[in-house]
Amino acid sequence: MHVVNLGMIGGGTVGSGVFNALQRNGDLLAKRIGVRINIVKIAVKAFDEPRPYPIPRSYLTTDWRSVVNDPQVQIVAELAGGTTVAREMVLSALRLGKPVVTANKALLSAHGPELFATAKANNTNLYYEASVAGGIPIIKALREGFVGNRITHIYGIVNGTCNYILTRMTRDGMEFDAALKQAQQLGYAEADPSLDVDGLDAMHKTGILASLAHGFWVEPSQIYVEGIRAVTQTDIRFADQLGYVIKLLGIVKRLDADGRAAPRVQVSVYPTLVPKHHLLAGVNDVFNAVFVRGDVVGDTLFYGRGAGKDATASAVLSDLADAALDLKLGTKQRVPAFAEHERYGKVVPIEEVSTRYYVRLEVVDQPGVLAQISSIFGRARISISSVIQPEDHKGTTVPVIMMMHAAQNAAMLHALRQIGKLRVVKSKPVMIRVENLE
Ligand code: NDP
Ligand code: HSE
Protein backbone atom coordinates (compact mmCIF):
# COMPACT_ATOMS: atom_id res chain seq x y z
CA MET A 1 0.00 0.00 0.00
CA HIS A 2 1.25 3.47 -0.96
CA VAL A 3 1.69 5.62 2.20
CA VAL A 4 1.70 9.44 2.43
CA ASN A 5 2.76 11.24 5.57
CA LEU A 6 0.61 14.00 7.01
CA GLY A 7 1.69 16.81 9.32
CA MET A 8 -1.09 18.74 11.05
CA ILE A 9 -1.09 22.20 12.61
CA GLY A 10 -3.98 22.42 15.07
CA GLY A 11 -5.42 19.78 17.35
CA GLY A 12 -8.54 21.64 18.52
CA THR A 13 -12.15 21.14 17.42
CA VAL A 14 -11.31 20.41 13.78
CA GLY A 15 -7.78 19.02 14.25
CA SER A 16 -8.79 16.51 16.92
CA GLY A 17 -11.84 15.64 14.79
CA VAL A 18 -9.55 14.81 11.88
CA PHE A 19 -7.24 12.78 14.13
CA ASN A 20 -10.20 10.79 15.46
CA ALA A 21 -11.77 10.27 12.01
CA LEU A 22 -8.48 8.97 10.61
CA GLN A 23 -8.17 6.54 13.52
CA ARG A 24 -11.74 5.40 12.91
CA ASN A 25 -11.90 5.31 9.11
CA GLY A 26 -8.26 5.35 7.99
CA ASP A 27 -8.41 1.71 6.84
CA LEU A 28 -11.60 2.29 4.87
CA LEU A 29 -10.11 5.39 3.23
CA ALA A 30 -6.94 3.48 2.37
CA LYS A 31 -8.93 0.67 0.74
CA ARG A 32 -10.98 3.15 -1.26
CA ILE A 33 -8.15 5.29 -2.62
CA GLY A 34 -5.23 2.87 -2.46
CA VAL A 35 -3.20 5.23 -0.30
CA ARG A 36 -2.73 5.15 3.46
CA ILE A 37 -2.60 8.53 5.20
CA ASN A 38 -0.19 8.37 8.09
CA ILE A 39 -0.16 11.16 10.69
CA VAL A 40 3.42 12.00 11.64
CA LYS A 41 3.09 15.07 13.89
CA ILE A 42 0.52 17.56 15.17
CA ALA A 43 1.44 21.10 16.25
CA VAL A 44 -0.58 22.74 19.02
CA LYS A 45 -0.08 25.85 21.15
CA ALA A 46 0.04 24.06 24.51
CA PHE A 47 0.40 20.37 25.33
CA ASP A 48 -2.17 20.27 28.10
CA GLU A 49 -5.17 21.99 26.46
CA PRO A 50 -8.35 19.92 26.76
CA ARG A 51 -9.30 18.53 23.32
CA PRO A 52 -12.69 17.35 22.04
CA TYR A 53 -10.99 14.04 21.13
CA PRO A 54 -7.81 13.03 22.94
CA ILE A 55 -4.55 13.03 20.99
CA PRO A 56 -1.62 11.00 22.45
CA ARG A 57 1.22 13.22 23.61
CA SER A 58 3.67 11.36 21.35
CA TYR A 59 2.17 13.09 18.27
CA LEU A 60 2.31 16.61 19.68
CA THR A 61 4.80 19.43 19.25
CA THR A 62 4.46 23.14 19.97
CA ASP A 63 6.66 24.11 17.03
CA TRP A 64 4.60 24.34 13.84
CA ARG A 65 7.75 24.94 11.74
CA SER A 66 9.04 21.52 12.75
CA VAL A 67 5.89 20.05 11.15
CA VAL A 68 6.14 22.01 7.90
CA ASN A 69 9.90 21.47 7.55
CA ASP A 70 9.98 17.79 8.52
CA PRO A 71 11.26 16.03 5.36
CA GLN A 72 8.99 13.08 6.17
CA VAL A 73 5.85 15.27 6.01
CA GLN A 74 4.36 15.26 2.49
CA ILE A 75 1.00 16.98 3.14
CA VAL A 76 0.38 19.81 5.63
CA ALA A 77 -3.07 20.43 7.15
CA GLU A 78 -3.49 23.95 8.55
CA LEU A 79 -6.27 23.68 11.14
CA ALA A 80 -5.10 26.41 13.49
CA GLY A 81 -7.13 29.42 12.32
CA GLY A 82 -6.35 33.13 12.11
CA THR A 83 -4.86 35.08 9.22
CA THR A 84 -1.36 36.09 10.29
CA VAL A 85 0.67 33.09 11.48
CA ALA A 86 -1.66 30.83 9.48
CA ARG A 87 -0.64 32.68 6.31
CA GLU A 88 3.00 31.99 7.15
CA MET A 89 2.22 28.33 7.87
CA VAL A 90 0.47 27.81 4.53
CA LEU A 91 2.95 29.82 2.46
CA SER A 92 5.98 28.06 3.91
CA ALA A 93 4.50 24.62 3.22
CA LEU A 94 3.53 25.56 -0.35
CA ARG A 95 7.00 27.01 -0.99
CA LEU A 96 8.42 23.61 -0.09
CA GLY A 97 6.13 22.16 -2.78
CA LYS A 98 3.94 20.45 -0.16
CA PRO A 99 0.18 20.36 -0.78
CA VAL A 100 -1.80 22.10 1.94
CA VAL A 101 -5.29 21.34 3.24
CA THR A 102 -7.00 24.13 5.16
CA ALA A 103 -10.38 24.79 6.80
CA ASN A 104 -9.53 28.46 7.18
CA LYS A 105 -12.03 30.62 5.28
CA ALA A 106 -10.83 33.84 6.95
CA LEU A 107 -7.34 33.16 5.61
CA LEU A 108 -8.60 32.40 2.10
CA SER A 109 -10.80 35.47 2.08
CA ALA A 110 -7.92 37.72 3.11
CA HIS A 111 -5.09 36.14 1.10
CA GLY A 112 -6.64 33.76 -1.44
CA PRO A 113 -4.97 35.08 -4.62
CA GLU A 114 -1.50 35.10 -2.99
CA LEU A 115 -1.96 31.55 -1.68
CA PHE A 116 -3.27 30.18 -4.98
CA ALA A 117 -0.45 31.85 -6.91
CA THR A 118 2.12 30.39 -4.51
CA ALA A 119 0.64 26.91 -4.91
CA LYS A 120 0.78 27.22 -8.69
CA ALA A 121 4.31 28.64 -8.72
CA ASN A 122 5.51 25.69 -6.65
CA ASN A 123 3.64 23.10 -8.69
CA THR A 124 1.53 22.01 -5.77
CA ASN A 125 -2.05 22.56 -4.63
CA LEU A 126 -4.20 24.10 -1.91
CA TYR A 127 -7.38 22.31 -0.84
CA TYR A 128 -10.18 23.97 1.16
CA GLU A 129 -13.36 21.88 1.15
CA ALA A 130 -13.86 22.41 4.90
CA SER A 131 -13.74 26.19 4.57
CA VAL A 132 -17.37 26.51 3.42
CA ALA A 133 -20.47 24.86 4.90
CA GLY A 134 -18.68 22.31 7.15
CA GLY A 135 -19.38 18.77 5.99
CA ILE A 136 -21.21 19.69 2.78
CA PRO A 137 -18.97 19.02 -0.25
CA ILE A 138 -19.91 22.31 -1.89
CA ILE A 139 -16.44 23.28 -3.14
CA LYS A 140 -16.12 20.00 -5.03
CA ALA A 141 -19.65 20.41 -6.34
CA LEU A 142 -19.00 23.91 -7.71
CA ARG A 143 -15.54 23.15 -9.13
CA GLU A 144 -16.15 19.68 -10.48
CA GLY A 145 -19.82 18.70 -10.35
CA PHE A 146 -21.02 21.93 -12.00
CA VAL A 147 -17.99 22.50 -14.21
CA GLY A 148 -20.26 22.54 -17.28
CA ASN A 149 -22.71 25.11 -15.91
CA ARG A 150 -23.02 28.87 -15.78
CA ILE A 151 -24.09 29.47 -12.20
CA THR A 152 -26.86 32.05 -11.91
CA HIS A 153 -27.92 31.88 -8.25
CA ILE A 154 -26.43 30.72 -4.95
CA TYR A 155 -28.35 31.15 -1.71
CA GLY A 156 -26.46 29.79 1.27
CA ILE A 157 -27.12 29.34 4.96
CA VAL A 158 -23.39 29.06 5.58
CA ASN A 159 -22.85 29.98 9.21
CA GLY A 160 -23.82 27.25 11.67
CA THR A 161 -23.54 29.50 14.72
CA CYS A 162 -25.95 32.13 13.34
CA ASN A 163 -28.39 29.51 12.16
CA TYR A 164 -28.24 27.86 15.58
CA ILE A 165 -28.90 31.20 17.33
CA LEU A 166 -31.78 32.17 14.99
CA THR A 167 -33.33 28.72 15.42
CA ARG A 168 -33.19 28.91 19.23
CA MET A 169 -34.64 32.44 19.16
CA THR A 170 -37.44 31.40 16.76
CA ARG A 171 -38.39 28.04 18.22
CA ASP A 172 -37.65 28.45 21.93
CA GLY A 173 -37.92 32.23 22.36
CA MET A 174 -34.34 32.14 23.69
CA GLU A 175 -32.37 35.37 24.08
CA PHE A 176 -29.51 36.04 21.68
CA ASP A 177 -26.70 35.89 24.30
CA ALA A 178 -27.85 32.57 25.79
CA ALA A 179 -28.12 30.99 22.33
CA LEU A 180 -24.63 32.20 21.38
CA LYS A 181 -23.23 30.71 24.58
CA GLN A 182 -24.72 27.32 23.68
CA ALA A 183 -23.26 27.51 20.16
CA GLN A 184 -19.83 28.22 21.68
CA GLN A 185 -20.12 25.29 24.08
CA LEU A 186 -20.96 23.01 21.16
CA GLY A 187 -17.76 24.04 19.33
CA TYR A 188 -19.55 25.82 16.47
CA ALA A 189 -18.38 29.39 16.99
CA GLU A 190 -15.12 30.95 15.88
CA ALA A 191 -12.51 31.75 18.55
CA ASP A 192 -13.81 35.35 18.21
CA PRO A 193 -17.60 34.83 17.91
CA SER A 194 -18.16 38.32 16.50
CA LEU A 195 -16.84 36.82 13.24
CA ASP A 196 -19.98 34.68 13.28
CA VAL A 197 -22.67 37.03 14.59
CA ASP A 198 -21.51 40.09 12.63
CA GLY A 199 -21.75 38.10 9.40
CA LEU A 200 -18.01 38.11 8.65
CA ASP A 201 -17.59 34.34 8.62
CA ALA A 202 -20.56 34.07 6.23
CA MET A 203 -18.95 36.85 4.18
CA HIS A 204 -15.68 34.87 3.93
CA LYS A 205 -17.58 31.80 2.76
CA THR A 206 -19.92 33.63 0.40
CA GLY A 207 -16.93 35.34 -1.20
CA ILE A 208 -15.27 31.96 -1.79
CA LEU A 209 -18.46 30.56 -3.37
CA ALA A 210 -18.92 33.67 -5.54
CA SER A 211 -15.30 33.54 -6.71
CA LEU A 212 -15.53 29.87 -7.66
CA ALA A 213 -18.87 30.27 -9.38
CA HIS A 214 -17.98 33.35 -11.40
CA GLY A 215 -14.25 32.97 -11.95
CA PHE A 216 -12.98 36.29 -10.67
CA TRP A 217 -11.70 36.82 -7.15
CA VAL A 218 -14.25 38.62 -4.99
CA GLU A 219 -12.54 40.74 -2.35
CA PRO A 220 -14.18 40.92 1.10
CA SER A 221 -14.44 44.72 0.75
CA GLN A 222 -16.80 44.24 -2.22
CA ILE A 223 -19.30 42.18 -0.22
CA TYR A 224 -22.19 43.91 1.53
CA VAL A 225 -22.58 42.44 5.04
CA GLU A 226 -25.06 42.67 7.88
CA GLY A 227 -24.92 40.28 10.83
CA ILE A 228 -27.71 39.05 13.10
CA ARG A 229 -27.23 41.22 16.22
CA ALA A 230 -30.14 43.49 15.23
CA VAL A 231 -32.63 40.63 14.71
CA THR A 232 -35.25 40.82 17.49
CA GLN A 233 -37.97 38.53 18.82
CA THR A 234 -40.47 41.16 17.64
CA ASP A 235 -39.37 40.84 14.00
CA ILE A 236 -39.17 37.04 14.23
CA ARG A 237 -42.83 37.01 15.42
CA PHE A 238 -44.11 39.43 12.76
CA ALA A 239 -42.20 37.54 10.05
CA ASP A 240 -43.87 34.36 11.27
CA GLN A 241 -47.34 35.97 11.01
CA LEU A 242 -46.53 37.03 7.46
CA GLY A 243 -45.44 33.50 6.46
CA TYR A 244 -41.66 33.91 6.67
CA VAL A 245 -38.67 32.89 8.79
CA ILE A 246 -35.52 34.96 9.24
CA LYS A 247 -32.27 33.36 8.04
CA LEU A 248 -28.79 34.78 7.56
CA LEU A 249 -28.32 34.26 3.82
CA GLY A 250 -25.22 34.50 1.68
CA ILE A 251 -26.48 35.59 -1.74
CA VAL A 252 -24.61 35.32 -5.03
CA LYS A 253 -26.92 36.35 -7.84
CA ARG A 254 -25.98 36.99 -11.43
CA LEU A 255 -27.78 40.17 -12.50
CA ASP A 256 -27.04 40.36 -16.24
CA ALA A 257 -29.90 38.78 -18.09
CA ASP A 258 -28.30 37.09 -21.09
CA GLY A 259 -25.49 35.31 -19.22
CA ARG A 260 -23.03 35.88 -22.08
CA ALA A 261 -21.40 39.16 -21.01
CA ALA A 262 -18.83 39.23 -18.17
CA PRO A 263 -20.86 38.53 -15.04
CA ARG A 264 -22.32 41.36 -12.95
CA VAL A 265 -23.03 39.75 -9.63
CA GLN A 266 -24.72 40.62 -6.36
CA VAL A 267 -22.60 39.24 -3.51
CA SER A 268 -24.00 39.93 -0.08
CA VAL A 269 -24.78 38.58 3.37
CA TYR A 270 -27.74 39.77 5.42
CA PRO A 271 -30.63 38.53 7.55
CA THR A 272 -33.41 37.71 5.09
CA LEU A 273 -37.09 36.86 5.26
CA VAL A 274 -37.42 33.47 3.56
CA PRO A 275 -40.89 32.06 2.76
CA LYS A 276 -41.81 29.27 5.19
CA HIS A 277 -42.67 26.92 2.33
CA HIS A 278 -39.14 27.10 0.83
CA LEU A 279 -36.74 24.26 1.68
CA LEU A 280 -34.19 26.73 3.06
CA ALA A 281 -36.71 27.82 5.71
CA GLY A 282 -36.59 24.31 7.17
CA VAL A 283 -32.81 24.35 7.66
CA ASN A 284 -32.36 24.68 11.41
CA ASP A 285 -29.86 24.43 14.25
CA VAL A 286 -26.23 24.04 13.14
CA PHE A 287 -27.28 22.76 9.72
CA ASN A 288 -26.22 24.65 6.62
CA ALA A 289 -27.70 24.49 3.16
CA VAL A 290 -26.57 25.84 -0.17
CA PHE A 291 -29.00 26.28 -3.05
CA VAL A 292 -27.27 26.44 -6.43
CA ARG A 293 -28.94 27.12 -9.76
CA GLY A 294 -26.99 26.33 -12.92
CA ASP A 295 -28.07 26.98 -16.49
CA VAL A 296 -27.75 23.30 -17.40
CA VAL A 297 -28.54 21.47 -14.16
CA GLY A 298 -31.37 23.73 -12.92
CA ASP A 299 -31.99 23.90 -9.16
CA THR A 300 -29.95 21.89 -6.64
CA LEU A 301 -29.78 21.93 -2.85
CA PHE A 302 -27.00 20.74 -0.55
CA TYR A 303 -27.73 20.17 3.14
CA GLY A 304 -25.66 19.07 6.11
CA ARG A 305 -23.93 20.06 9.32
CA GLY A 306 -22.16 23.37 8.84
CA ALA A 307 -19.82 23.22 11.83
CA GLY A 308 -18.51 20.94 14.54
CA LYS A 309 -15.64 18.49 14.87
CA ASP A 310 -16.97 15.50 12.93
CA ALA A 311 -18.73 17.19 10.02
CA THR A 312 -15.73 19.41 9.38
CA ALA A 313 -13.35 16.45 9.69
CA SER A 314 -15.31 14.72 6.92
CA ALA A 315 -14.55 17.61 4.55
CA VAL A 316 -10.87 17.65 5.57
CA LEU A 317 -10.63 13.91 4.90
CA SER A 318 -12.00 14.44 1.39
CA ASP A 319 -9.24 16.99 0.72
CA LEU A 320 -6.59 14.72 2.25
CA ALA A 321 -7.73 11.94 -0.08
CA ASP A 322 -7.43 14.26 -3.11
CA ALA A 323 -4.01 15.49 -2.02
CA ALA A 324 -2.79 11.92 -1.36
CA LEU A 325 -4.07 10.72 -4.74
CA ASP A 326 -2.43 13.65 -6.51
CA LEU A 327 0.87 12.77 -4.83
CA LYS A 328 0.54 9.12 -5.74
CA LEU A 329 -0.44 9.81 -9.35
CA GLY A 330 1.74 12.90 -9.87
CA THR A 331 -1.32 14.98 -10.91
CA LYS A 332 -0.59 18.00 -8.78
CA GLN A 333 -2.80 20.62 -10.48
CA ARG A 334 -5.52 18.29 -11.82
CA VAL A 335 -8.15 20.61 -10.36
CA PRO A 336 -6.46 23.96 -9.70
CA ALA A 337 -7.24 25.60 -6.35
CA PHE A 338 -8.84 28.52 -8.17
CA ALA A 339 -9.23 28.95 -11.93
CA GLU A 340 -9.74 32.51 -13.13
CA HIS A 341 -12.31 31.98 -15.89
CA GLU A 342 -14.08 35.37 -15.95
CA ARG A 343 -11.46 37.99 -15.26
CA TYR A 344 -13.77 40.94 -16.14
CA GLY A 345 -16.64 40.05 -13.84
CA LYS A 346 -17.87 42.70 -11.40
CA VAL A 347 -19.60 42.82 -8.04
CA VAL A 348 -22.60 45.18 -8.20
CA PRO A 349 -22.75 47.57 -5.21
CA ILE A 350 -25.71 46.87 -2.92
CA GLU A 351 -27.15 50.35 -3.59
CA GLU A 352 -27.80 49.32 -7.19
CA VAL A 353 -29.38 45.98 -6.31
CA SER A 354 -33.16 45.64 -6.23
CA THR A 355 -34.78 43.59 -3.45
CA ARG A 356 -38.08 43.32 -1.59
CA TYR A 357 -38.33 44.55 2.01
CA TYR A 358 -40.00 44.07 5.36
CA VAL A 359 -40.21 47.37 7.23
CA ARG A 360 -41.23 47.87 10.87
CA LEU A 361 -41.94 51.32 12.20
CA GLU A 362 -42.89 52.38 15.71
CA VAL A 363 -45.37 55.22 15.26
CA VAL A 364 -47.80 57.45 17.17
CA ASP A 365 -51.34 56.06 16.78
CA GLN A 366 -53.10 59.06 15.25
CA PRO A 367 -54.84 59.99 12.00
CA GLY A 368 -52.67 60.81 8.99
CA VAL A 369 -49.57 58.87 10.07
CA LEU A 370 -49.82 56.25 7.34
CA ALA A 371 -50.47 58.97 4.76
CA GLN A 372 -47.20 60.73 5.69
CA ILE A 373 -45.25 57.50 5.42
CA SER A 374 -46.83 56.31 2.20
CA SER A 375 -46.31 59.67 0.52
CA ILE A 376 -42.53 59.37 1.12
CA PHE A 377 -42.56 55.87 -0.38
CA GLY A 378 -44.73 57.16 -3.22
CA ARG A 379 -42.34 60.00 -4.06
CA ALA A 380 -39.48 57.44 -4.08
CA ARG A 381 -41.61 55.31 -6.43
CA ILE A 382 -41.49 52.40 -3.97
CA SER A 383 -44.68 50.40 -3.89
CA ILE A 384 -46.24 49.01 -0.70
CA SER A 385 -47.45 45.44 -0.99
CA SER A 386 -49.25 45.08 2.38
CA VAL A 387 -49.55 46.79 5.78
CA ILE A 388 -50.29 45.36 9.24
CA GLN A 389 -51.01 47.33 12.39
CA PRO A 390 -51.90 44.99 15.29
CA GLU A 391 -55.18 46.15 16.90
CA ASP A 392 -54.57 44.81 20.40
CA HIS A 393 -51.32 46.73 20.97
CA LYS A 394 -51.03 48.62 24.27
CA GLY A 395 -48.71 51.58 24.79
CA THR A 396 -48.11 55.09 23.53
CA THR A 397 -46.83 53.93 20.14
CA VAL A 398 -47.90 51.15 17.78
CA PRO A 399 -45.88 49.01 15.39
CA VAL A 400 -46.67 49.26 11.68
CA ILE A 401 -45.32 46.48 9.49
CA MET A 402 -45.07 47.03 5.77
CA MET A 403 -44.14 44.54 3.06
CA MET A 404 -42.71 46.34 0.05
CA HIS A 405 -42.43 45.43 -3.61
CA ALA A 406 -38.97 45.32 -5.19
CA ALA A 407 -37.02 48.58 -5.20
CA GLN A 408 -33.38 49.62 -5.44
CA ASN A 409 -31.56 49.59 -2.12
CA ALA A 410 -30.38 53.19 -2.58
CA ALA A 411 -33.96 54.44 -3.00
CA MET A 412 -35.18 52.39 -0.05
CA LEU A 413 -32.45 53.58 2.30
CA HIS A 414 -33.07 57.20 1.29
CA ALA A 415 -36.83 56.85 1.89
CA LEU A 416 -36.25 55.22 5.30
CA ARG A 417 -33.93 58.03 6.36
CA GLN A 418 -36.72 60.52 5.57
CA ILE A 419 -39.33 58.40 7.33
CA GLY A 420 -37.07 58.10 10.38
CA LYS A 421 -37.11 61.91 10.68
CA LEU A 422 -40.93 62.22 10.79
CA ARG A 423 -42.14 63.43 14.21
CA VAL A 424 -44.73 60.63 14.33
CA VAL A 425 -42.06 57.92 13.93
CA LYS A 426 -40.64 57.13 17.35
CA SER A 427 -37.70 54.82 16.71
CA LYS A 428 -35.23 53.98 13.98
CA PRO A 429 -37.05 52.13 11.18
CA VAL A 430 -36.25 48.42 10.98
CA MET A 431 -35.68 47.07 7.47
CA ILE A 432 -35.05 43.41 6.58
CA ARG A 433 -34.73 42.28 2.99
CA VAL A 434 -37.06 39.62 1.61
CA GLU A 435 -36.14 36.87 -0.87
CA ASN A 436 -38.75 34.79 -2.59
CA LEU A 437 -35.99 32.52 -3.92
CA GLU A 438 -37.59 32.17 -7.33
P1 NDP B 1 -9.65 25.56 17.85
O1 NDP B 1 -9.38 26.83 18.56
O2 NDP B 1 -10.52 24.55 18.48
O3 NDP B 1 -8.26 24.85 17.48
C1 NDP B 1 -7.16 25.53 17.01
C2 NDP B 1 -5.96 24.63 17.18
O4 NDP B 1 -4.82 25.26 16.62
C3 NDP B 1 -5.62 24.31 18.61
O5 NDP B 1 -5.23 22.97 18.73
C4 NDP B 1 -4.45 25.24 18.92
O6 NDP B 1 -3.60 24.72 19.92
C5 NDP B 1 -3.76 25.25 17.58
N1 NDP B 1 -2.96 26.44 17.32
C6 NDP B 1 -3.37 27.72 17.28
N2 NDP B 1 -2.33 28.54 17.01
C7 NDP B 1 -1.23 27.74 16.90
C8 NDP B 1 0.14 27.97 16.64
N3 NDP B 1 0.62 29.21 16.47
N4 NDP B 1 0.98 26.91 16.61
C9 NDP B 1 0.51 25.65 16.79
N5 NDP B 1 -0.78 25.37 17.03
C10 NDP B 1 -1.64 26.40 17.08
O7 NDP B 1 -10.24 26.00 16.42
P2 NDP B 1 -11.12 25.13 15.43
O8 NDP B 1 -10.60 23.76 15.38
O9 NDP B 1 -12.54 25.36 15.73
O10 NDP B 1 -10.85 25.89 14.04
C11 NDP B 1 -9.69 25.65 13.29
C12 NDP B 1 -9.91 26.21 11.89
O11 NDP B 1 -10.99 25.53 11.27
C13 NDP B 1 -10.27 27.69 11.84
O12 NDP B 1 -9.72 28.26 10.68
C14 NDP B 1 -11.79 27.67 11.73
O13 NDP B 1 -12.30 28.82 11.12
C15 NDP B 1 -11.97 26.47 10.84
N6 NDP B 1 -13.28 25.81 10.93
C16 NDP B 1 -13.83 25.50 12.12
C17 NDP B 1 -15.03 24.82 12.19
C18 NDP B 1 -15.66 24.45 13.48
O14 NDP B 1 -16.78 23.91 13.45
N7 NDP B 1 -15.05 24.71 14.63
C19 NDP B 1 -15.71 24.42 10.97
C20 NDP B 1 -15.04 24.77 9.73
C21 NDP B 1 -13.86 25.46 9.73
P3 NDP B 1 -4.12 24.42 21.41
O15 NDP B 1 -5.00 23.21 21.29
O16 NDP B 1 -2.91 24.15 22.21
O17 NDP B 1 -4.88 25.64 21.83
N1 HSE C 1 -18.00 29.26 13.07
C1 HSE C 1 -18.35 28.59 11.86
C2 HSE C 1 -19.84 28.42 11.80
C3 HSE C 1 -17.65 27.28 11.79
O1 HSE C 1 -20.50 28.58 12.82
O2 HSE C 1 -20.37 28.13 10.73
C4 HSE C 1 -17.84 26.54 10.48
O3 HSE C 1 -17.21 27.19 9.43
Side-chain angles (χ1 to χ4, degrees):
M1 175 78 73
H2 195 94
V3 177
V4 300
N5 288 324
L6 168 66
M8 290 171 48
I9 309 173
T13 303
V14 181
S16 75
V18 171
F19 179 82
N20 177 270
L22 273 177
Q23 302 302 306
R24 233 188 316 160
N25 286 355
D27 286 348
L28 174 74
L29 186 65
K31 280 184 199 148
R32 283 189 175 150
I33 66 170
V35 186
R36 176 167 298 284
I37 296 170
N38 174 46
I39 300 179
V40 177
K41 259 186 201 172
I42 304 175
V44 292
K45 259 206 302 218
F47 288 122
D48 298 324
E49 275 300 304
R51 305 183 188 289
Y53 288 114
I55 302 177
R57 173 70 185 263
S58 55
Y59 283 98
L60 299 181
T61 167
T62 52
D63 175 12
W64 66 263
R65 288 180 196 280
S66 75
V67 173
V68 170
N69 294 327
D70 185 335
Q72 270 192 296
V73 167
Q74 295 166 282
I75 303 175
V76 174
E78 181 278 304
L79 307 170
T83 56
T84 314
V85 186
R87 172 174 165 270
E88 245 185 282
M89 293 167 178
V90 173
L91 284 175
S92 41
L94 293 173
R95 285 182 188 131
L96 291 170
K98 299 186 182 185
V100 174
V101 172
T102 182
N104 193 337
K105 54 273 168 162
L107 177 70
L108 288 168
S109 176
H111 301 294
E114 179 191 23
L115 302 176
F116 300 141
T118 307
K120 195 170 175 188
N122 291 280
N123 192 27
T124 186
N125 216 336
L126 177 62
Y127 303 83
Y128 49 97
E129 185 61 70
S131 69
V132 182
I136 302 174
I138 190 66
I139 302 292
K140 219 181 217 327
L142 277 176
R143 271 200 316 214
E144 299 181 45
F146 296 142
V147 68
N149 282 258
R150 276 204 173 78
I151 305 297
T152 58
H153 296 70
I154 300 177
Y155 298 109
I157 294 175
V158 288
N159 184 270
T161 301
C162 287
N163 206 37
Y164 184 85
I165 294 171
L166 291 174
T167 304
R168 295 277 76 77
M169 288 175 73
T170 305
R171 288 191 165 173
D172 311 329
M174 195 182 266
E175 290 305 324
F176 180 94
D177 288 340
L180 171 59
K181 204 171 213 171
Q182 279 192 354
Q184 287 177 293
Q185 282 160 356
L186 290 163
Y188 304 154
E190 297 301 306
D192 171 4
S194 59
L195 287 175
D196 296 293
V197 297
D198 291 329
L200 301 173
D201 178 75
M203 173 192 83
H204 299 148
K205 294 165 173 168
T206 303
I208 293 169
L209 295 180
S211 304
L212 282 177
H214 294 292
F216 65 97
W217 189 251
V218 175
E219 294 295 338
S221 59
Q222 298 174 292
I223 306 174
Y224 178 76
V225 186
E226 284 176 26
I228 61 163
R229 283 189 207 266
V231 176
T232 62
Q233 290 288 355
T234 309
D235 295 310
I236 288 173
R237 279 198 303 275
F238 281 124
D240 178 57
Q241 284 176 30
L242 289 159
Y244 293 89
V245 292
I246 302 179
K247 294 288 180 194
L248 184 72
L249 276 197
I251 298 175
V252 183
K253 205 189 283 188
R254 190 166 177 154
L255 301 180
D256 47 308
D258 70 3
R260 274 173 294 163
R264 294 178 63 252
V265 190
Q266 172 190 355
V267 187
S268 45
V269 173
Y270 43 69
T272 310
L273 263 68
V274 172
K276 276 187 202 170
H277 59 75
H278 195 277
L279 286 168
L280 283 181
V283 176
N284 286 308
D285 297 307
V286 73
F287 283 87
N288 280 193
V290 186
F291 170 96
V292 182
R293 181 174 293 160
D295 64 344
V296 181
V297 69
D299 292 355
T300 61
L301 185 66
F302 298 80
Y303 173 81
R305 282 180 191 279
K309 53 190 189 309
D310 301 316
T312 312
S314 166
V316 173
L317 252 51
S318 152
D319 278 348
L320 291 174
D322 275 348
L325 274 173
D326 278 353
L327 284 177
K328 180 183 169 192
L329 303 171
T331 51
K332 291 180 180 177
Q333 286 270 330
R334 189 185 67 84
V335 182
F338 174 66
E340 198 177 49
H341 56 86
E342 266 295 6
R343 168 181 314 221
Y344 301 108
K346 278 202 168 44
V347 175
V348 177
I350 190 70
E351 292 76 11
E352 295 171 27
V353 171
S354 232
T355 53
R356 294 190 59 221
Y357 307 89
Y358 156 103
V359 173
R360 178 168 59 83
L361 304 169
E362 206 57 39
V363 301
V364 178
D365 194 7
Q366 68 184 38
V369 170
L370 278 183
Q372 290 181 52
I373 294 164
S374 57
S375 80
I376 292 178
F377 280 134
R379 281 200 300 280
R381 309 193 69 74
I382 302 173
S383 173
I384 300 168
S385 151
S386 68
V387 180
I388 306 178
Q389 181 180 324
E391 277 189 20
D392 54 352
H393 198 81
K394 295 181 186 64
T396 51
T397 60
V398 287
V400 172
I401 291 86
M402 305 176 119
M403 295 297 282
M404 313 298 297
H405 286 297
Q408 270 209 344
N409 276 255
M412 187 66 191
L413 292 172
H414 180 69
L416 285 180
R417 271 195 297 276
Q418 289 181 293
I419 289 169
K421 286 182 197 154
L422 292 174
R423 279 198 299 132
V424 293
V425 174
K426 291 301 179 191
S427 60
K428 191 168 179 251
V430 171
M431 181 270 272
I432 307 178
R433 294 173 185 83
V434 180
E435 274 294 341
N436 283 351
L437 306 159
E438 281 154 359

